[in-house]
Amino acid sequence: MSTINQTNRTMLFETINPQKLDLLTLIGDVRGIDSLSDEKIKEINQELLVRSFPEFIEKFSPVVYSFFNANNQKIMYTLDKPESIPDNMLTPIYLNQQNDFLNMLMSLVEAKRAQSIINVDFRFDKLTDMISPKKVMEDIKQNRKELQYVYKEYALLEDGDPKKLDVADKLNVMFEEASANYNNVLAMLPLAIEDIKTRLLFGESDGDGPSVPLALGVLSMSENGELKVLEAPKVEKSELMVVDDQINAGLITAIEEDYEALNDDSSEYLKALVTRTFCPLVSTMESNIDIKQEVINYNSYLDFYKMAKDDFIKVVKPLVEKILGVWGYFEQYPAKMKGMRPTMLVTNCNNDMLTKSSNLPRLVAYLNTVNAKNDFDNTIWYGIMPSISLDQQAKKKLSRERFKGNEVVEKTDINNIEALALVLTVAKDYGIQIFFSYETGDKTTFNYMTTEGIDKFEERCASLTGKEYSEYAIPCIPNFTIIPKDKSGVILDKKMILNDNAAAQLSKEKEDIMKLWIDGVYIGAAYIAAGLVSAYQCPDYLKEKFKRNVDGELPGVRFDIESGDHALRVHTTMAKEITGFTNNIKNDINRKNFGFVFSSENAILGDLNISHIMVYKARNLMADGKIYEPIYKTQVTTYIERILRHATGDFKQENIVKFFSNNPTSQKSKWLNKRNNINAILGVGDDIQFTIDDAAGYCLLDITFNGDVKNLGVEINRFNAANRAV
């Protein structure tokens, strides 16, 4: 791989953070030029290229903005930063791995993978409650324990001790993370909810008996030896007493000072809440608690939290699905492997904007720079365009709605098929294969496809078949389900009531259970398909899967995942979702050989049960009238053309003859000598023949794939040689 050292760089055609730079902006005006400078390519890579999911999160900082609307008393959320609202009235909520919603979804994927349980049997509710106030508080308790531990270590060290400075650096990071939500009321609500429960329900009965108010007491014996619990005398003080020791006193002071420093309009209640959250305190003024008011506050907080969280999820879910898609792309390649690691270049711009006639020349100039040179470090091989509109038929209009049905919500994050066609028109000229998938929802899942088949997806691709770019279009089905629509309920908590004893207790009434619905979360199949194909380009990855017969110098461009047991060895990292497709559906897929189709089947490789989703078909949209073509043929053709251009000095005739000669040192001979390898460029049954038309200055290559011939034409000895499949 000394000539071409990577065959898996992928371009993601999606917007992640509108506030960050995008490909169009970075390229700029290209009038009068057909390529970009090396400095410009370096700048684009610095801003838009990522090599891992953590780098993606760090570089693009996915965020949703919140602000309070006093007119309707609601928190409003938006993915685009409102220009008319001052920064001090906006609260950014970053969607990183510390965000409870995103963290919950990633934990779901990992839990299913670890347990190998299909969707119908998996207990989604055990993990969806991670966004409930109780679970949020549990996470904070763990952070609190770590904060107290580090602060104690800091307090015990002498001033001037170099180690104390190191510990101080840790503390600064921990305080920074803790302080991120000081002025975010929504983030503080779970703390306030759990704080009230802790103080009011500490003495709540575990059984069915009525709760009674809490009065602390001491165990004693009467004069005749009878055991008695006597109420402890109250010492009326206005200050809060420390549970632990003087070290905690210092931590309390540090937290209070930090809160006040970061909040101009500080609230005594919030300051006390933050302090109680990160350093447990005992109040000696329990007798002064207004239980009725606290119950009112609790129910008000819970109502507001449910409404705000519900609105937040509705706004943020499309972006979260993109983030999960990028995570899924990088998850297909082992984290510790150091070989040909997949890389992703994010356009970060709207595809309707990218494909405007005035903007397409910018994309062409970029691709002409990275894909039409004999330097292949920055070459783009794949593209991902998820969320293609499915154009589902409109619901039948009803004279009246007898029962509450699904709300028709117009999706704003959908890519139209016209934009995909325009991208493909450009991509074909630069050998870029575009993986695309349809809009997420319960109509594009494994469950749907196992009953409805693939007809709907094939019909939607009709306008993309029979075109010059068809072989570069790869429809990926079905999408992956993180949480099914019907199992996406989250119980936040129960409302609180005052009982006959004037004590607070949680209501046992069904209607007082506070629950919200996420309405399903999914990952576009294009992310996983591109991630898996990118992964098996690496010879080290193939060596891990096959152990032998893998050449360490050849990429996996010719690897046919449909061949033999390849799909059993090279499978996704995603857990199975269903028990499998019916025989009728599989027969239909086999008959049409359409698309990049994933399967969730029971399979065995030797003594090993395959508990992950596998690839069933890997086809593009080029058809011979009966079946569609395997995707590897297109990449092999592109790879051979690029190697040929480089080795022959841009298709010099005498060098072309040497390239294909029977001389043992020729490139063709070297490839044929490795034909028995899993990642051979020319496998068993493959061959290349060439014909030169001197008069026309044209060379026609016949590339044979196990009996099937694919043709590639190149113009001889011209710098801007045109290559086209005929």
Side-chain angles (χ1 to χ4, degrees):
M1 300 196 315
S2 57
T3 301
I4 296 179
N5 56 16
Q6 65 87 12
T7 57
N8 57 4
R9 180 160 295 179
T10 304
M11 179 177 282
L12 173 60
F13 293 89
E14 272 291 12
T15 305
I16 302 299
N17 186 344
Q19 300 304 309
K20 298 290 184 177
L21 289 170
D22 59 75
L23 187 62
L24 288 177
T25 302
L26 287 166
I27 294 173
D29 189 3
V30 295
R31 284 175 291 187
I33 61 174
D34 66 353
S35 65
L36 309 176
S37 66
D38 291 345
E39 289 77 12
K40 178 58 67 177
I41 297 300
K42 183 178 180 180
E43 182 186 10
I44 290 172
N45 288 345
Q46 287 175 340
E47 298 293 336
L48 304 179
L49 184 69
V50 294
R51 296 169 178 81
S52 66
F53 181 70
E55 185 181 4
F56 165 78
I57 292 294
E58 180 182 357
K59 189 167 283 190
F60 287 94
S61 300
V63 62
V64 60
Y65 297 93
S66 68
F67 59 93
F68 193 77
N69 186 344
N71 286 333
N72 60 9
Q73 297 290 299
K74 290 180 66 176
I75 297 179
M76 312 300 291
Y77 299 97
T78 175
L79 297 178
D80 292 311
K81 186 177 182 181
E83 296 180 355
S84 59
I85 298 177
D87 286 349
N88 65 340
M89 301 299 291
L90 282 176
T91 300
I93 302 172
Y94 291 98
L95 300 174
N96 51 35
Q97 286 164 289
Q98 282 71 52
N99 177 268
D100 60 349
F101 185 50
L102 183 61
N103 185 39
M104 177 265 289
L105 296 172
M106 294 171 71
S107 297
L108 271 173
V109 176
E110 292 171 342
K112 282 190 77 235
R113 182 190 304 161
Q115 297 179 53
S116 304
I117 299 176
I118 60 176
N119 289 348
V120 71
D121 296 326
F122 187 74
R123 292 294 304 274
F124 289 93
D125 59 313
K126 294 297 183 182
L127 287 169
T128 54
D129 73 345
M130 286 174 65
I131 62 175
S132 68
K134 179 181 178 181
K135 291 296 183 180
V136 171
M137 195 63 189
E138 285 180 5
D139 290 339
I140 289 176
K141 285 180 179 178
Q142 178 61 34
N143 294 336
R144 177 175 72 193
K145 186 187 299 183
E146 295 172 8
L147 180 64
Q148 290 175 314
Y149 174 80
V150 175
Y151 185 83
K152 182 176 182 179
E153 185 181 8
Y154 170 82
L156 293 177
L157 290 169
E158 294 182 17
D159 291 341
D161 188 334
K163 186 178 179 181
K164 188 165 188 173
L165 301 178
D166 294 336
V167 177
D169 289 337
K170 291 183 183 179
L171 269 180
N172 284 329
V173 172
M174 299 176 83
F175 265 77
E176 184 68 25
E177 292 175 350
S179 67
N181 295 320
Y182 283 173
N183 62 346
N184 183 352
V185 175
L186 179 61
M188 298 303 292
L189 279 179
L191 312 187
I193 290 168
E194 288 302 307
D195 179 67
I196 293 175
K197 283 177 65 177
T198 299
R199 289 184 290 116
L200 296 192
L201 304 182
F202 189 75
E204 185 178 23
S205 172
D206 293 330
D208 296 326
S211 298
V212 295
L214 173 67
L216 295 179
V218 293
L219 183 64
S220 180
M221 288 186 178
S222 65
E223 292 181 358
N224 60 5
E226 181 183 0
L227 284 176
K228 288 186 177 181
V229 178
L230 304 177
E231 184 175 350
K234 295 183 176 67
V235 181
E236 298 291 335
K237 294 182 180 179
S238 59
E239 71 271 11
L240 295 171
M241 301 299 292
V242 182
V243 172
D244 192 359
D245 49 31
Q246 291 304 311
I247 290 176
N248 269 355
L251 179 57
I252 292 168
T253 302
I255 292 172
E256 289 178 340
E257 290 176 352
D258 191 48
Y259 174 83
E260 290 175 346
L262 294 175
N263 289 272
D264 295 332
D265 300 323
S266 61
S267 160
E268 287 299 319
Y269 177 82
L270 283 179
K271 182 172 73 172
L273 176 61
V274 169
T275 305
R276 285 197 299 269
T277 299
F278 288 100
C279 196
L281 305 170
V282 168
S283 173
T284 58
M285 295 293 293
E286 295 296 329
S287 59
N288 291 341
I289 290 180
D290 186 340
I291 296 179
K292 182 178 180 181
Q293 184 60 49
E294 291 283 9
V295 169
I296 293 172
N297 287 347
Y298 173 88
N299 290 330
S300 173
Y301 295 163
L302 196 56
D303 276 329
F304 194 87
Y305 182 73
K306 176 189 178 300
M307 180 178 63
K309 202 71 174 179
D310 197 30
D311 292 342
F312 170 79
I313 289 172
K314 286 177 181 176
V315 171
V316 82
K317 193 171 70 170
L319 177 56
V320 164
E321 289 184 339
K322 295 177 189 179
I323 296 169
L324 289 171
V326 175
W327 181 61
Y329 171 87
F330 284 110
E331 280 284 288
Q332 304 315 306
Y333 189 83
K336 295 181 180 180
M337 192 169 284
K338 303 297 184 183
M340 190 198 298
R341 178 171 292 279
T343 56
M344 176 182 284
L345 189 129
V346 183
T347 62
N348 199 38
C349 56
N350 180 279
N351 287 315
D352 288 337
M353 179 66 69
L354 180 67
T355 54
K356 281 186 175 180
S357 58
S358 57
N359 288 332
L360 269 180
R362 301 190 189 192
L363 178 62
V364 170
Y366 173 75
L367 294 178
N368 208 38
T369 308
V370 297
N371 276 40
K373 291 182 177 180
N374 288 338
D375 179 4
F376 306 103
D377 287 349
N378 295 303
T379 299
I380 306 293
W381 293 84
Y382 307 126
I384 298 174
M385 189 178 288
S387 300
I388 300 298
S389 172
L390 204 53
D391 272 355
Q392 295 175 348
Q393 293 182 347
K395 289 172 64 178
K396 183 178 179 180
K397 190 172 182 180
L398 304 174
S399 59
R400 62 183 292 265
E401 190 174 54
R402 280 82 170 173
F403 308 96
K404 182 173 176 58
N406 290 311
E407 293 183 18
V408 179
V409 180
E410 184 178 354
K411 295 185 177 181
T412 58
D413 58 314
I414 301 301
N415 292 309
N416 60 62
I417 204 160
E418 291 75 20
L420 172 61
L422 287 169
V423 167
L424 284 166
T425 302
V426 174
K428 69 174 174 54
D429 294 329
Y430 297 97
I432 301 173
Q433 295 172 280
I434 305 294
F435 295 84
F436 68 93
S437 51
Y438 294 101
E439 59 188 274
T440 55
D442 60 347
K443 303 298 184 185
T444 54
T445 62
F446 280 94
N447 271 337
Y448 180 88
M449 208 166 91
T450 197
T451 57
E452 302 295 330
I454 63 172
D455 289 346
K456 178 176 67 174
F457 305 110
E458 188 179 17
E459 289 169 6
R460 191 71 181 98
C461 291
S463 63
L464 303 177
T465 58
K467 303 294 194 298
E468 290 185 22
Y469 55 66
S470 296
E471 67 174 305
Y472 297 96
I474 306 172
C476 306
I477 54 176
N479 291 329
F480 292 75
T481 300
I482 306 304
I483 304 179
K485 182 178 180 178
D486 59 345
K487 293 190 175 183
S488 61
V490 181
I491 295 177
L492 298 176
D493 218 317
K494 300 174 183 177
K495 285 194 172 183
M496 194 179 288
I497 60 173
L498 282 175
N499 62 19
D500 295 338
N501 295 320
Q505 70 177 47
L506 295 179
S507 172
K508 294 180 172 60
E509 300 298 326
K510 185 177 180 181
E511 59 268 21
D512 286 338
I513 296 174
M514 303 299 285
K515 187 173 185 177
L516 61 82
W517 290 89
I518 299 173
D519 203 28
V521 179
Y522 310 88
I523 293 179
Y527 289 103
I528 308 301
L532 186 63
V533 176
S534 295
Y536 70 60
Q537 294 303 308
C538 174
D540 291 349
Y541 176 90
L542 292 175
K543 280 182 181 179
E544 184 180 89
K545 300 297 182 181
F546 290 91
K547 308 305 180 187
R548 55 184 181 179
N549 293 334
V550 175
D551 189 279
E553 295 299 315
L554 296 177
V557 294
R558 174 61 178 85
F559 180 74
D560 181 7
I561 199 165
E562 292 184 31
S563 176
D565 63 359
H566 290 183
L568 298 176
R569 295 181 182 274
V570 178
H571 51 70
T572 74
T573 60
M574 310 298 287
K576 286 196 305 183
E577 296 191 15
I578 60 174
T579 53
F581 296 134
T582 64
N583 289 333
N584 287 338
I585 297 297
K586 284 190 283 188
N587 290 338
D588 192 35
I589 296 172
N590 288 327
R591 185 167 55 251
K592 295 176 179 177
N593 282 307
F594 164 82
F596 197 107
V597 182
F598 290 102
S599 71
S600 178
E601 300 283 323
N602 294 319
I604 297 177
L605 179 64
D607 297 328
L608 182 65
N609 285 319
I610 307 300
S611 58
H612 294 80
I613 288 174
M614 300 173 292
V615 177
Y616 197 65
K617 297 292 177 183
R619 307 294 176 111
N620 57 42
L621 290 180
M622 175 177 276
D624 61 3
K626 295 181 180 179
I627 61 174
Y628 295 92
E629 186 172 89
I631 66 171
Y632 73 84
K633 292 185 179 181
T634 299
Q635 187 164 5
V636 172
T637 303
T638 301
Y639 180 82
I640 289 174
E641 186 273 332
R642 286 173 177 162
I643 290 288
L644 180 63
R645 176 194 289 273
H646 182 273
T648 60
D650 296 318
F651 309 121
K652 291 180 181 177
Q653 182 170 337
E654 64 274 17
N655 291 341
I656 291 176
V657 174
K658 292 179 182 177
F659 189 95
F660 293 110
S661 74
N662 293 325
N663 189 308
T665 61
S666 73
Q667 185 63 69
K668 177 182 175 181
S669 296
K670 291 178 181 178
W671 283 342
L672 289 175
N673 287 336
K674 297 181 177 181
R675 65 171 57 204
N676 290 316
N677 288 316
I678 297 293
N679 58 336
I681 303 301
L682 296 175
V684 176
D686 296 352
D687 197 10
I688 306 179
Q689 300 295 332
F690 73 100
T691 304
I692 293 179
D693 186 336
D694 289 317
Y698 199 76
C699 177
L700 180 66
L701 303 180
D702 294 329
I703 307 174
T704 303
F705 296 103
N706 200 23
D708 296 327
V709 179
K710 191 174 182 66
N711 301 320
L712 176 72
V714 297
E715 294 179 19
I716 299 173
N717 200 24
R718 294 180 183 177
F719 183 76
N720 290 321
N723 65 287
R724 54 187 181 275
V726 296

